[in-house]
Amino acid sequence: MKNKDIIFFNNQLLNWFKTNKRDLIFRKEKDPYRILVSEIMAQQTQIKTMLPYYNRFIKKFPTIYDLAQSNLEDVLNLWEGLGYYTRARNLWKTANIITENKNFPEKYDDLIKLPGIGPYTAGAIASIAFNQKIPALDGNALRVFSRLYGITEDISETETKRKINDLILKHLNLTDQPGNFNEAIMEIGALVCLKTNPYCKVCPVKKFCYAYLKDKISFFPVNKKRLKKVIESYDVLIMIYQNHPLFTKREKSGLLSGLYGFPMIQNNEHPGSTINTLKDKYNLKLLNYIGESKHVFTHKIWKSTLFSAETDSIPDDFTITPKSVPTAFKKMVLELNK
């Protein structure tokens, strides 16, 4: 695309964005803290799902200083159900670092050093909050620009991402609204240029789109490295004290670390064959088979075989009133209560 075409494209896209953008609460201000929270929450989560969490989070922690002064357990508790809890931990760590430095960093190179902030989030904050001409390269941007320019290389490859990043930078250098431009690309990817069955006929920039003009929409983007989910099987013990399931805090590292769940042993060979190890560990007498539970994470699937057992006392490190229980374990409780 020549510069004059890029300028025309930019204007068409920005005019569309001004008229068609969703009325999202975190767009009403250019507060870098609120942009940070919204972008972290939106990772791996749909906007309509994260909005209630965002509203509760901002009400509880209206400023980055409030978040920094909070207890991590309270943050995780508020995050409960949103998943991917590492995001919450990193957000809390970042709030503490920024508060200690007494300054919210404006430059991309400083932002990307903070816990949980990658190239996309750093670009989004730098451009939206501070009007810097920095690309925000997310899945939407990769898809839109691969179709727009007919990028035949694999978008999962670093070189391809760099190529698309440079193309976006060309567009940013020819607009005085870098933040709006990045948001417009995200928005058109979310509303029009969908992964499957995109709404090409209503696209405001379709006449610039290689994939549309060549009738090759289904060919783009090219992604050869779609990860297959790993299946992990577990035997899980739910101890019952006076009709209440007992929860224990998980290890400080690994999936769902530091949250509350049930004792479990990975068992990919013969489901149920290791449960006696847990029975003996807690000196239990009778086990009852409950059923099966399945939970899908981004890159793996948990398949759990569930057993329950009555206990006369609450063992050390267990509680009937956990602060934060991930959805994976809530599903197990539902099986218990059937």
Side-chain angles (χ1 to χ4, degrees):
M1 234 188 274
K2 295 180 180 179
N3 283 358
K4 65 177 182 179
D5 295 323
I6 290 176
I7 292 171
F8 189 61
F9 171 94
N10 289 356
N11 290 336
Q12 291 287 101
L13 181 66
L14 288 167
N15 287 336
W16 172 86
F17 179 64
K18 184 177 180 180
T19 304
N20 295 277
K21 65 182 178 181
R22 288 167 292 179
D23 185 24
L24 302 175
I25 189 168
F26 48 81
R27 282 182 174 155
K28 296 182 184 300
E29 302 176 44
K30 298 299 182 182
D31 180 353
Y33 167 63
R34 299 194 175 202
I35 294 171
L36 169 64
V37 174
S38 68
E39 293 296 346
I40 295 296
M41 282 191 170
Q43 293 170 10
Q44 307 289 344
T45 305
Q46 293 184 343
I47 295 294
K48 65 180 180 180
T49 301
M50 62 81 82
L51 277 175
Y53 288 91
Y54 173 84
N55 292 333
R56 288 194 292 268
F57 198 91
I58 292 299
K59 184 177 181 179
K60 178 75 173 179
F61 311 117
T63 71
I64 199 164
Y65 305 104
D66 295 308
L67 179 57
Q69 292 171 5
S70 69
N71 184 288
L72 178 57
E73 287 240 338
D74 292 335
V75 176
L76 293 173
N77 188 32
L78 205 59
W79 203 273
E80 185 179 308
L82 194 58
Y84 309 101
Y85 290 85
T86 300
R87 296 179 297 172
R89 293 187 187 89
N90 284 332
L91 184 57
W92 182 77
K93 290 176 186 176
T94 288
N96 278 274
I97 292 170
I98 292 175
T99 299
E100 288 173 11
N101 293 337
K102 298 180 180 179
N103 186 38
F104 202 112
E106 298 183 11
K107 295 182 179 180
Y108 174 91
D109 290 344
D110 295 326
L111 287 163
I112 203 170
K113 294 175 183 176
L114 294 168
I117 296 185
Y120 163 72
T121 305
I125 296 171
S127 62
I128 299 170
F130 302 113
N131 206 41
Q132 296 177 24
K133 296 185 176 184
I134 305 291
L137 194 62
D138 70 343
N140 286 323
L142 289 170
R143 182 170 62 257
V144 170
F145 269 77
S146 71
R147 288 172 174 168
L148 179 65
Y149 281 92
I151 305 297
T152 57
E153 294 90 346
D154 187 345
I155 62 166
S156 67
E157 298 289 345
T158 301
E159 281 301 316
T160 310
K161 291 178 181 178
R162 187 177 293 118
K163 179 177 181 178
I164 294 176
N165 189 83
D166 291 343
L167 286 171
I168 295 175
L169 189 55
K170 279 187 177 182
H171 284 256
L172 289 174
N173 286 333
L174 292 171
T175 181
D176 59 356
Q177 301 178 55
N180 284 341
F181 180 85
N182 279 337
E183 284 198 272
I185 291 295
M186 299 176 210
E187 196 75 341
I188 204 166
L191 301 180
V192 177
C193 194
L194 308 179
K195 291 180 182 179
T196 56
N197 301 318
Y199 300 111
C200 295
K201 290 185 178 180
V202 299
C203 178
V205 290
K206 61 180 180 290
K207 69 179 181 180
F208 296 96
C209 180
Y210 175 92
Y212 175 75
L213 295 174
K214 298 294 184 180
D215 195 24
K216 291 186 175 182
I217 288 292
S218 62
F219 288 85
F220 301 96
V222 177
N223 189 350
K224 299 175 183 177
K225 290 188 177 179
R226 297 187 187 278
L227 295 177
K228 292 184 178 179
K229 296 182 187 293
V230 176
I231 297 176
E232 295 179 351
S233 296
Y234 290 90
D235 292 336
V236 179
L237 173 64
I238 303 178
M239 284 188 283
I240 309 296
Y241 174 73
Q242 296 182 354
N243 295 321
H244 295 287
L246 297 179
F247 296 84
T248 186
K249 186 175 281 192
R250 291 171 60 79
E251 299 290 334
K252 293 183 179 179
S253 61
L255 191 60
L256 303 181
S257 58
L259 304 175
Y260 285 85
F262 303 120
M264 54 199 301
I265 297 179
Q266 189 167 350
N267 181 10
N268 293 332
E269 297 297 326
H270 304 288
S273 62
T274 66
I275 196 66
N276 282 331
T277 302
L278 293 173
K279 175 187 173 184
D280 294 341
K281 179 178 179 180
Y282 296 107
N283 196 27
L284 301 169
K285 294 180 180 179
L286 182 64
L287 290 175
N288 297 307
Y289 170 74
I290 299 172
E292 310 294 321
S293 178
K294 177 182 175 182
H295 188 73
V296 180
F297 297 94
T298 305
H299 302 311
K300 64 177 60 179
I301 297 172
W302 275 7
K303 288 187 175 181
S304 302
T305 304
L306 310 178
F307 297 84
S308 68
E310 298 284 341
T311 180
D312 295 329
S313 61
I314 301 177
D316 292 341
D317 300 324
F318 280 77
T319 180
I320 61 173
T321 56
K323 283 195 171 183
S324 48
V325 179
T327 303
F329 293 105
K330 287 182 177 179
K331 287 182 178 179
M332 297 178 191
V333 175
L334 289 176
E335 287 295 324
L336 174 68
N337 292 332
K338 281 185 177 179

